[in-house]
């Protein structure tokens, strides 16, 4: 009896007319989903160390959000958003190394993170794989942590194995690293309820400055602020680079993501992080006998970095 009385009282309290000072929610107002962070640690990953949509589900959910992934069973290829727990930070070959980040873990040493590879072939920007709220509601875009894939870093430093035209307007070979004028960036597209679109860019590698000391690529987790997109019904991404040939972009079109729409992170606390933390980059390269070389050479290279340090690097 007491239980029934309690339930009746609770129902009455919920349906009661609001008193002065209470918020009234009208049925015709847009609903904004609760900001539940997608950490990707809730995704089950098998022995391979990654999930790339091979189950043909077409998407996966983490937190309050849905992430599209397209898998082609004929070619074993994918695009969109994959989840990785791989700790390797080097690039050896396409098959496995495409799931490696340059950090070796998720943000704050978490195990899982996303490797994103937006489809840019034969479509317009803003039409690649989407992130939506899992219940279909609009949501306030906040941001996420972003870093480079291992493959991207390898291409910045050692060339991407292709030929084409670089950011300085000159041609490059397959072993030419990034140089003055080169860049690689991610563009986020936010689509609003009225189908209007807002965009914001993030440079994962920026060698545009004439001053080599300003050249950098991101090698840790940094915050990509999406608040300028506003309230959106979906977010997608587009990758672009200064290096292209007749087939399109030659730079690997990957980036890594963690903690999408992190409601607990305050970007203002480290708002200058991206601009104040320039990553050390290669400024000169030598053989073991001290001979300066213009490009990576098989064997051990002595590499001078922009922060004054030197490193021994094995080039395979």
């Amino acid at each position: 009896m007491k239980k029934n009385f309690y339930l009746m009282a609770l129902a009455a309290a919920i349906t009661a007319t609001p008193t002065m000072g209470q918020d009234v929610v009208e049925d015709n107002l847009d609903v904004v989903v609760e900001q539940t962070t997608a950490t990707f640690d809730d995704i089950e990953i098998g022995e391979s160390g990654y999930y790339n949509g091979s189950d043909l589900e077409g998407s996966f959910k983490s937190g309050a959000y849905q992430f599209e992934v397209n898998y082609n069973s004929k070619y074993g290829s994918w695009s969109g958003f994959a989840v990785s727990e791989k700790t390797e930070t080097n690039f050896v070959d396409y098959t496995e190394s495409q799931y490696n980040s340059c950090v070796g873990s998720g943000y704050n040493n978490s195990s899982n993170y996303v490797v994103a590879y937006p489809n840019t072939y034969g479509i317009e920007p803003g039409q690649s794989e989407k992130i939506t709220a899992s219940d279909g509601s609009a949501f306030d875009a906040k941001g996420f942590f972003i870093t480079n894939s291992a493959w991207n870093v390898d291409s910045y430093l050692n060339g991407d194995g292709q030929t084409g035209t670089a950011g300085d307007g000159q041609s490059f070979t397959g072993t030419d690293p990034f140089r003055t004028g080169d860049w690689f960036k991610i563009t986020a597209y936010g689509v609003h309820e009225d189908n209007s679109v807002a965009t914001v860019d993030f440079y994962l590698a920026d060698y545009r400055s004439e001053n080599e000391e300003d050249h950098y690529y991101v090698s840790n987790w940094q915050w990509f602020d999406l608040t300028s997109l506003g309230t959106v019904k979906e977010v997608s991404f587009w990758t672009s680079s200064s290096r292209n040939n007749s087939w399109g972009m030659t730079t690997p079109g990957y980036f890594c993501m963690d903690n999408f729409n992190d409601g607990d992170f305050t970007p203002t606390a480290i708002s200058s992080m991206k601009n104040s933390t320039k990553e050390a980059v290669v400024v000169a390269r030598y053989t073991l006998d001290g001979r300066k070389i213009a490009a990576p050479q098989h064997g051990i290279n002595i590499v001078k970095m922009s922060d004054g340090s030197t490193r021994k690097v094995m080039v395979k």
Side-chain angles (χ1 to χ4, degrees):
M1 183 69 177
K2 288 183 178 180
K3 181 177 180 181
N4 289 339
F5 176 81
Y6 171 77
L7 292 175
M8 292 171 62
L10 179 61
I14 292 173
T15 57
T17 302
T19 58
M20 186 65 68
Q22 289 182 307
D23 292 331
V24 180
V25 180
E26 299 289 343
D27 289 340
N28 61 351
L29 292 180
D30 290 335
V31 177
V32 177
V33 73
E34 180 184 355
Q35 302 294 318
T36 304
T37 304
T39 64
F40 312 110
D41 292 325
D42 49 357
I43 305 299
E44 188 74 24
I45 294 180
E47 295 181 359
S48 64
Y50 54 83
Y51 167 78
N52 63 3
S54 59
D55 58 3
L56 302 181
E57 288 293 326
S59 66
F60 62 86
K61 176 185 174 183
S62 181
Y65 304 96
Q66 199 85 12
F67 299 79
E68 292 182 348
V69 55
N70 292 312
Y71 185 83
N72 187 314
S73 349
K74 181 177 180 180
Y75 298 104
S77 61
W78 64 278
S79 64
F81 304 94
V83 184
S84 175
E85 62 177 7
K86 290 172 69 68
T87 58
E88 299 90 343
T89 59
N90 61 331
F91 176 75
V92 179
D93 61 64
Y94 163 80
T95 305
E96 295 296 325
S97 299
Q98 64 175 315
Y99 304 102
N100 296 354
S101 76
C102 70
V103 178
S105 66
Y107 170 67
N108 205 22
N109 292 316
S110 65
S111 61
N112 291 7
Y113 54 91
V114 152
V115 177
Y117 180 63
N119 176 31
T120 59
Y121 182 74
I123 62 173
E124 295 296 321
Q127 296 180 355
S128 58
E129 292 81 6
K130 309 291 190 296
I131 301 174
T132 57
S134 55
D135 67 355
S137 301
F139 60 94
D140 295 328
K142 289 180 174 291
F144 62 92
F145 287 94
I146 188 172
T147 196
N148 272 296
S149 75
W151 191 358
N152 278 75
V153 171
D154 185 75
S155 75
Y156 306 151
L157 300 181
N158 303 311
D160 53 37
Q162 301 186 62
T163 59
T165 304
D168 57 6
Q170 305 299 310
S171 62
F172 66 89
T173 68
T175 57
D176 285 340
F178 264 29
R179 60 195 184 218
T180 300
D182 281 322
W183 50 268
F184 176 71
K185 73 177 180 181
I186 311 301
T187 302
Y189 286 75
V191 180
H192 306 137
E193 292 279 54
D194 62 359
N195 291 322
S196 61
V197 179
T199 65
V200 60
D201 294 333
F202 189 101
Y203 283 84
L204 280 173
D206 192 351
Y207 289 49
R208 292 174 298 168
S209 173
E210 291 296 326
N211 183 1
E212 287 191 357
E213 292 186 357
D214 292 332
H215 297 174
Y216 72 92
Y217 65 88
V218 174
S219 63
N220 54 11
W221 288 105
Q222 297 190 8
W223 182 251
F224 188 176
D225 191 346
L226 300 181
T227 55
S228 63
L229 300 182
T231 301
V232 297
K233 62 180 182 180
E234 62 186 43
V235 175
S236 64
F237 298 93
W238 193 261
T239 57
S240 55
S241 170
S242 58
R243 296 209 163 184
N244 299 273
N245 60 21
S246 58
W247 296 97
M249 180 175 70
T250 65
T251 307
Y254 294 76
F255 66 94
C256 298
M257 166 194 293
D258 206 359
N259 285 28
F260 179 79
N261 251 23
D262 192 338
D264 297 325
F265 180 71
T266 306
T268 54
I270 52 171
S271 58
S272 62
M273 176 175 62
K274 177 177 179 290
N275 292 325
S276 65
T277 55
K278 303 298 183 185
E279 303 298 331
V281 296
V282 176
V283 296
R285 190 179 291 265
Y286 303 85
T287 60
L288 278 175
D289 60 4
R291 180 171 52 87
K292 189 173 183 179
I293 52 179
Q297 182 174 296
H298 291 296
I300 296 176
N301 293 194
I302 306 298
V303 177
K304 182 180 179 181
M305 308 301 292
S306 58
D307 61 3
S309 65
T310 58
R311 306 174 185 177
K312 286 185 178 181
V313 177
M314 173 62 74
V315 178
K316 296 182 178 181

